[in-house]
Amino acid sequence: MNASFWHGYDPQCKEYERELPTVFPWQQPVKEDQPRYVKGGDGYWYAPEQKDTGKALLRLVGDLMCEPAMCRRNRYGDSYFFHPCFQYVRGLLKDTDLTLGNLETTVTDLTPYAGQYHVIPKEPTATKFQYHCNGPESYLEALRYAGFDVLVNGNNHNCDSGIMGLWQTLDRLDAHDFLHTGTFRPSDDRVLLIRVNGIRLAVLSYGSRYNDLDRMWTQKGVDTWLNYFNKEKVIRDVEYARSKGAEYVIAYIHWGKDYDMEPNEKQLAILPELADTGVDYIVGSHTHCLQKYERIQNSRGETVPVMFSMGNFVTNETKELCKHTGILQLELTRRDSHIQVEERFIPCYVFDEFGTGRYCVVPAEPKFSGEDTPKLRQVKAYVADRIGPGLPEPQVCSASLEQLCRAMELPPPEGSAYVPVMGLATGYMATDRGYVYFARGDENRQEKLAVVKNRVAAVVSETPWEEMDVLLCEDVKAAWQRACAWLRPRCLTQVIAITGSRGKTLTKQLLCHALSQKYRVLTHPDSLQVDTGIWMNAMAHHDYCVMELRDSDPMGLSGLLSAIRPDAVLCTDDFAPGQGPHLPFDWQKACLGGVAEFVKDLGIPEPFAGFPYMSNTQNILQCKGVTVVYDLACRDVEAVWRTAQKCSGRKLYMGILPKKHPEADIVWDAASMTEWEREQVILETLQEGDVLILCGGRELDLDVTLRRLFGLSDGYIRGGR
């Protein structure tokens, strides 16, 4: 028996159970909230998986507060759980190349949390009092969950917990793998350098005041640990960053007066000094409310954008002006050795309660939050008025059910103006929360229950449903086509459709891999699984969306093409074999050739470098020294055997037994064996270098055998050709 395939199963347990538990042995998935950036030898932080595309998407927010009511209402016994505060913005903050925020609290156990003592004596005499900001370490776990990479903290609450508290805060930021700047231990770098998709950034953070608590520190303490704004200091920092190759410099500045909705005299005095230092973008914080956006000229005639104040991003403050906030989006592109920036602003609002969360920040755009209410529509108008016309909202495709009903020429239900539509579905397996499901007339009870369970926005049907109200229409297909025709112009992303009798998935993977060397690509498995959710999922920063279109879709291939109107259609049946990396099969070479022809004029020098050709797409995988050839969805033994013959090694076949057995070294009849027996005999026989062939219909559950033997997730082996 080859014990390496057991993934930790203890053989002494064998005598106590007939079969393995259905989910054991289990290979733990990679944690989804892992930090992305590591530090390189050149002093720059970088994400190893990023490519040098010369394009970077950044999202920046204002003050990350951890205030009394937030602590108290997110406390459970001795623990604090702040994750729900960020549940509606998590997708936005994680779907970036770099996310930054201003951490306006210490995180230490050496002084009380804000939820315990928010107002403390400012002096031993207790005649003056001071607001005290400090939060538990679990707050950092919530910020990691939210998607933050960088936490700047050059702000007025750095001194609240003394040197020891600040020291522990910085240690905890390191322990949670956050990049940070604005306060410094004696050995810390004072300029944060980050390489994002090949673009070299510098991030700076300065404070204009420290609540007078800095007078309790020595001058050495102030000079070492804090980062007071000083024009000469910023000039030195910028010069240092440029000497290290920084192409773009972002400066956070903590300034202004609490609750001032307009920049005050001190801000206006600091601004030209800061703009003259050579920074490229200025982001303000501290006022706890939004202030305007401007583009100013420095003394050298250069334009410097400034967002005077981003306001609170999470807070429990009761003032209405403190609850309006947003996300600043910067898309950086290197062109002719210069960095160009495209700016957008996503309005948000902090609700005391929203859904299951307390003090949640919610985007006003239903495309991002999945919510649409009168309040959020008011927020969009308020934020646009506060920051001015210089920062437009991202151009996304969003629609209310009322708008979609009118496009389909159906009467909209009452209240549908505030029901966001997140996608369209012609198959019940593609439905999700907020989707509109187009019934085909042959739905069984199981399908109907699935649609109801997924809380779709609406069902369009030619016949009534007992389980829920439906939008009745005479021709469901015509309604679907009208819906697509209305949505398509609102999707700015270029759509590439892949059709053909075989090789669609490989073509899609090759094309996405090639395009991602230079562009932002959104990929969908196929039309049956995700249908036209493309309209809702294609954000403004996606350059391409690649999707497979199958003739087996309920709407038919011609119907899909006429409704989706892709910018390009690639038919795999028309591909000629291509030259390039070694590929074992002719149909793979044809896919490679078709994709190479399509991308040849897009300026991608090595479009297929690093592509894993031996993958589940070809029904072949290599794992733990063994080659596995499989077909888990059909019974074409001959096709699977022809594929296996092109792989070198001893052949072990398990599956259904056709009239003519494949000429394998060992053959097992899967139908005559239990799952346990299959796994047992494979483990006892399989050796390094072997070719394991699995072929059988879904009723044999060979996918379970494959998953358990090799520790693969469902997603890796789903979709056998």
Side-chain angles (χ1 to χ4, degrees), residues 49 51 506 509-514 516-517 580-583 592 604-615 618:
E49 72 280 1
K51 302 179 179 68
L506 176 60
Q509 289 195 346
L510 281 163
L511 184 56
C512 289
H513 181 83
S516 65
Q517 308 295 315
H582 169 71
L583 293 170
L592 181 74
I604 305 173
E606 297 183 11
F608 308 118
F611 184 80
Y613 292 100
M614 301 294 280
S615 74
Q618 296 96 299

Side-chain angles (χ1 to χ4, degrees), residues 310-364:
M310 291 285 289
N312 296 321
F313 192 62
V314 285
T315 182
N316 64 218
E317 293 200 71
T318 58
K319 296 182 178 68
E320 181 69 9
L321 60 87
C322 298
K323 296 173 177 288
H324 290 87
T325 183
I327 301 171
L328 175 63
Q329 176 176 296
L330 305 181
E331 296 180 67
L332 306 182
T333 304
R334 184 191 294 114
R335 289 195 175 95
D336 300 325
S337 73
H338 294 287
I339 302 299
Q340 296 182 359
V341 60
E342 185 175 347
E343 305 157 89
R344 295 284 187 268
F345 196 83
I346 304 169
C348 301
Y349 186 81
V350 183
F351 288 86
D352 292 350
E353 291 188 4
F354 199 91
T356 59
R358 297 154 180 173
Y359 304 110
C360 293
V361 55
V362 182

Side-chain angles (χ1 to χ4, degrees), residues 181-247:
T181 188
T183 57
F184 315 98
R185 291 156 300 195
S187 60
D188 287 344
D189 296 329
R190 303 185 76 86
V191 175
L192 179 59
L193 301 173
I194 314 169
R195 191 166 59 251
V196 187
N197 290 338
I199 295 178
R200 296 181 297 276
L201 300 178
V203 179
L204 312 174
S205 172
Y206 304 95
S208 60
R209 59 186 294 265
Y210 294 91
N211 294 348
D212 296 329
L213 293 177
D214 55 336
R215 64 184 175 78
M216 301 170 64
W217 295 15
T218 65
Q219 189 61 47
K220 182 178 180 180
V222 172
D223 293 342
T224 302
W225 290 83
L226 304 181
N227 209 24
Y228 259 112
F229 169 76
N230 175 280
K231 181 178 180 180
E232 287 69 30
K233 178 193 295 183
V234 182
I235 290 174
R236 290 195 299 271
D237 290 344
V238 173
E239 289 178 346
Y240 173 81
R242 301 294 187 192
S243 72
K244 292 293 185 179
E247 303 169 271

Side-chain angles (χ1 to χ4, degrees), residues 627-701:
T627 300
V628 183
V629 180
Y630 63 94
D631 192 325
L632 307 176
C634 60
R635 297 171 176 268
D636 193 350
V637 180
E638 291 185 4
V640 176
W641 180 245
R642 286 195 299 270
T643 300
Q645 283 181 311
K646 299 185 180 184
C647 302
S648 60
R650 190 175 61 144
K651 308 296 191 297
L652 284 67
Y653 175 88
M654 175 175 285
I656 59 173
L657 293 183
K659 293 180 180 179
K660 182 180 179 181
H661 290 191
E663 297 177 1
D665 295 284
I666 299 175
V667 176
W668 296 299
D669 180 8
S672 66
M673 308 168 74
T674 66
E675 290 180 12
W676 175 270
E677 289 170 338
R678 294 176 201 159
E679 295 164 16
Q680 185 103 329
V681 70
I682 290 174
L683 288 170
E684 291 174 347
T685 310
L686 201 60
Q687 299 174 6
E688 188 172 342
D690 284 349
V691 179
L692 176 63
I693 307 159
L694 301 176
C695 183
R698 292 294 185 188
E699 69 276 4
L700 291 181
D701 289 329

Side-chain angles (χ1 to χ4, degrees), residues 15 34 66 93 116 118 152 161 169 200 227 295 372 385 429 439 484 503 518-519 523 580 590 644 650 676:
E15 61 178 300
Q34 290 283 84
C66 189
L93 301 182
Q116 298 165 323
H118 188 42
V152 302
S161 300
T169 298
R200 296 181 297 276
N227 209 24
R295 297 172 68 84
D372 195 1
D385 181 63
M429 291 300 291
C484 289
K518 188 175 180 180
Y519 301 99
T523 178
R650 190 175 61 144
W676 175 270

Side-chain angles (χ1 to χ4, degrees), residues 472-655:
L472 291 172
C473 73
E474 295 181 357
D475 189 338
V476 168
K477 185 173 182 178
W480 175 80
Q481 290 176 326
R482 284 193 289 268
C484 289
W486 182 79
L487 286 169
R488 181 64 179 98
R490 291 161 174 79
C491 177
L492 304 180
T493 302
Q494 291 193 61
V495 178
I496 302 174
I498 300 174
T499 67
S501 59
R502 71 180 307 186
K504 293 186 293 295
T505 302
L506 176 60
T507 299
K508 180 193 68 181
Q509 289 195 346
L510 281 163
L511 184 56
C512 289
H513 181 83
L515 291 173
S516 65
Q517 308 295 315
K518 188 175 180 180
Y519 301 99
R520 289 188 168 274
V521 183
L522 178 72
T523 178
H524 285 282
D526 53 57
S527 56
L528 282 171
Q529 289 189 31
V530 295
D531 213 342
T532 46
I534 167 186
W535 315 132
M536 301 302 138
N537 292 326
M539 294 187 183
H541 63 272
H542 284 120
D543 301 300
Y544 291 96
C545 174
V546 183
M547 63 189 306
E548 302 173 43
L549 298 185
R550 297 184 180 183
D551 195 36
S552 56
D553 186 276
M555 297 302 174
L557 181 59
S558 60
L560 286 167
L561 289 172
S562 63
I564 294 173
R565 287 179 286 169
D567 297 278
V569 179
L570 304 183
C571 180
T572 60
D573 297 331
D574 300 332
F575 290 168
Q579 302 295 321
H582 169 71
L583 293 170
F585 312 121
D586 290 339
W587 68 272
Q588 294 178 345
K589 294 177 182 178
C591 295
L592 181 74
V595 174
E597 179 68 21
F598 182 80
V599 302
K600 69 179 181 180
D601 296 326
L602 296 180
I604 305 173
E606 297 183 11
F608 308 118
F611 184 80
Y613 292 100
M614 301 294 280
S615 74
N616 70 310
T617 306
Q618 296 96 299
N619 299 93
I620 301 174
L621 64 88
Q622 289 183 326
C623 187
K624 299 185 178 299
V626 174
T627 300
V628 183
V629 180
Y630 63 94
D631 192 325
L632 307 176
C634 60
R635 297 171 176 268
D636 193 350
V637 180
E638 291 185 4
V640 176
W641 180 245
R642 286 195 299 270
T643 300
Q645 283 181 311
K646 299 185 180 184
C647 302
S648 60
R650 190 175 61 144
K651 308 296 191 297
L652 284 67
Y653 175 88
M654 175 175 285

